[in-house]
Amino acid sequence: MPEIAIELDHVYKKFDGTDKASVEDVSLKVEQGDFVTVLGSSGCGKTTLLKLINRLYETTSGEIRYFGEPIGNLNPSIYRRKIGYVIQQVGLFPHRTVEQNIATVPKLLGWDESRKRTRVTELLSLVGLAPEIYRNRYPGKLSGGEQQRVGLARALAVNPSLLLMDEPFGAIDAITRRELQDEVLRIQKETNATVIFITHDVQEAFKLGNHVIIMNEGRIQQYATPYEIMINPANAFVAALVNAGSLFERLKVLRVDGILESYEGIPDDIISLHAGSSLADVLQAFLVSNVEYINIVDKQGETIGRVSFENLKQMMDMPESYDYSI
């Protein structure tokens, strides 16, 4: 079984001068390699939760454990160097080059110049920025999307086992945001890092997370897979937040990779969709074609599985008599 990367045990955080706790009796476990998204409206406690895990705030009561070790027993600076942290504002040092920004933590750890340079080259390639072009640029010469990629590279500099991301794409345009979402999914799969990702966007939360935490007023309302949340919302708040009452709204936020089937071979003329497509995209493709299966491909166009119309109906619990017209 996977190790538990982060565990919260009845955690509370109450700030001085406030009547109510910002985080109230939160208990959860995140397994190594999980991608967990935290969803909720402003002021629900999700950013406070992340800062408690990163020890930017200390708990009022309760305990947080990092791979079984209470984080209160760890040196805060050393602990934080094991964690990647990405925020919406990026926080790049404006008077340092891209290379110098990415090498911030390796420099603190005393890496030699050759090792730092090699690591920067690897990371720029990983986040889709050509090292020979971007290495010596300054943040002011980068677009918002490029700055976020550099921020992600910096967070990954020392191979963190835990990556914390606080609404990192909130200020990015829609097209760049989708590209960065795909990049983060690819990088997480390649590195097997544990990711906790905060967002207020339902589609982003369900696209990225294999588990989703729904928060309201400092408490966890539901912690489950996207499919479980959409099909069986824990309460009225969760149902309203994710529009669980609407079949098509369910389809729009559930990813196709959740219902992939294995196969021996696929006809050449079959319809193909990208692995990041939603089940709404899949349904639309079935409605405009006369096929039993849809081919699912990765970013390189390589087939990774297929989806059948029958399985789509079963997964969404749609009756045979359902009117599938949109």
Side-chain angles (χ1 to χ4, degrees):
M1 288 183 62
E3 282 189 89
I4 301 300
I6 283 289
E7 181 175 2
L8 280 69
D9 188 4
H10 296 289
V11 167
Y12 286 78
K13 178 61 182 178
K14 186 175 182 294
F15 293 98
D16 292 342
T18 60
D19 295 327
K20 192 177 186 309
S22 295
V23 169
E24 187 173 354
D25 196 23
V26 168
S27 294
L28 64 91
K29 295 179 181 180
V30 178
E31 292 185 349
Q32 184 178 15
D34 269 359
F35 198 128
V36 175
T37 51
V38 186
L39 179 64
S41 57
S42 297
C44 71
K46 55 187 188 294
T47 293
T48 300
L49 185 72
L50 209 67
K51 289 183 176 181
L52 288 169
I53 294 172
N54 203 24
R55 286 198 71 183
L56 293 174
Y57 296 152
E58 299 293 344
T59 60
T60 302
S61 63
E63 187 172 77
I64 301 174
R65 292 183 280 275
Y66 172 76
F67 288 96
E69 179 72 19
I71 64 173
N73 296 347
L74 304 174
N75 179 290
S77 297
I78 294 174
Y79 169 60
R80 289 193 197 107
R81 290 172 191 170
K82 298 178 181 180
I83 298 173
Y85 193 45
V86 186
I87 59 176
Q88 181 174 321
Q89 295 80 12
V90 188
L92 299 179
F93 299 109
H95 302 301
R96 295 184 186 177
T97 65
V98 165
E99 179 165 27
Q100 290 167 337
N101 267 281
I102 294 173
T104 298
V105 175
K107 182 178 180 180
L108 289 172
L109 295 176
W111 290 19
D112 62 45
E113 290 301 319
S114 175
R115 186 182 179 191
K116 284 189 292 185
R117 187 172 180 82
T118 298
R119 184 59 176 156
V120 169
T121 300
E122 292 171 349
L123 288 166
L124 284 173
S125 299
L126 184 67
V127 299
L129 298 175
E132 65 276 10
I133 295 175
Y134 288 93
R135 182 189 302 276
N136 295 315
R137 287 191 180 177
Y138 286 88
K141 299 297 184 181
L142 304 177
S143 69
E146 288 168 343
Q147 289 185 33
Q148 283 293 2
R149 289 172 187 266
V150 174
L152 179 58
R154 183 175 64 181
L156 295 168
V158 292
N159 291 314
S161 54
L162 178 63
L163 185 61
L164 306 178
M165 307 184 76
D166 191 355
E167 300 204 48
F169 309 145
I172 303 297
D173 65 89
I175 294 174
T176 304
R177 185 169 184 159
R178 286 194 295 270
E179 291 175 351
L180 288 171
Q181 289 168 353
D182 291 340
E183 286 297 302
V184 166
L185 282 173
R186 177 184 61 81
I187 290 168
Q188 191 269 340
K189 288 176 181 176
E190 288 185 14
T191 61
N192 197 40
T194 305
V195 179
I196 302 177
F197 185 109
I198 286 179
T199 181
H200 64 269
D201 185 276
V202 174
Q203 292 198 26
E204 182 168 74
F206 281 51
K207 175 180 179 179
L208 296 177
N210 65 312
H211 287 84
V212 179
I213 295 170
I214 308 286
M215 290 193 71
N216 185 43
E217 296 184 344
R219 285 182 171 269
I220 291 180
Q221 304 297 307
Q222 191 165 5
Y223 179 26
T225 67
Y227 180 79
E228 289 169 333
I229 290 172
M230 292 303 294
I231 302 305
N232 295 303
N235 53 40
F237 174 83
V238 175
L241 182 67
V242 301
N243 288 319
S246 165
L247 174 62
F248 198 63
E249 289 301 323
R250 298 181 193 178
L251 292 170
K252 286 197 295 185
V253 298
L254 292 173
R255 292 206 319 253
V256 67
D257 56 8
I259 60 170
L260 284 182
E261 304 170 18
S262 60
Y263 58 93
E264 296 299 328
I266 299 250
D268 292 337
D269 61 350
I270 200 165
I271 293 175
S272 293
L273 289 177
H274 186 266
S277 301
S278 71
L279 294 187
D281 297 325
V282 175
L283 179 58
Q284 187 70 41
F286 276 123
L287 292 172
V288 299
S289 64
N290 186 29
V291 294
E292 294 182 13
Y293 299 97
I294 289 176
N295 193 34
I296 305 301
V297 299
D298 61 19
K299 197 171 184 179
Q300 288 70 43
E302 298 293 326
T303 297
I304 60 173
R306 71 179 186 180
V307 175
S308 71
F309 188 48
E310 287 303 314
N311 196 26
L312 176 63
K313 288 194 293 182
Q314 291 171 11
M315 289 294 287
M316 296 310 301
D317 195 28
M318 295 185 286
E320 292 290 332
S321 59
Y322 185 83
D323 179 6
Y324 293 103
S325 61
I326 296 177

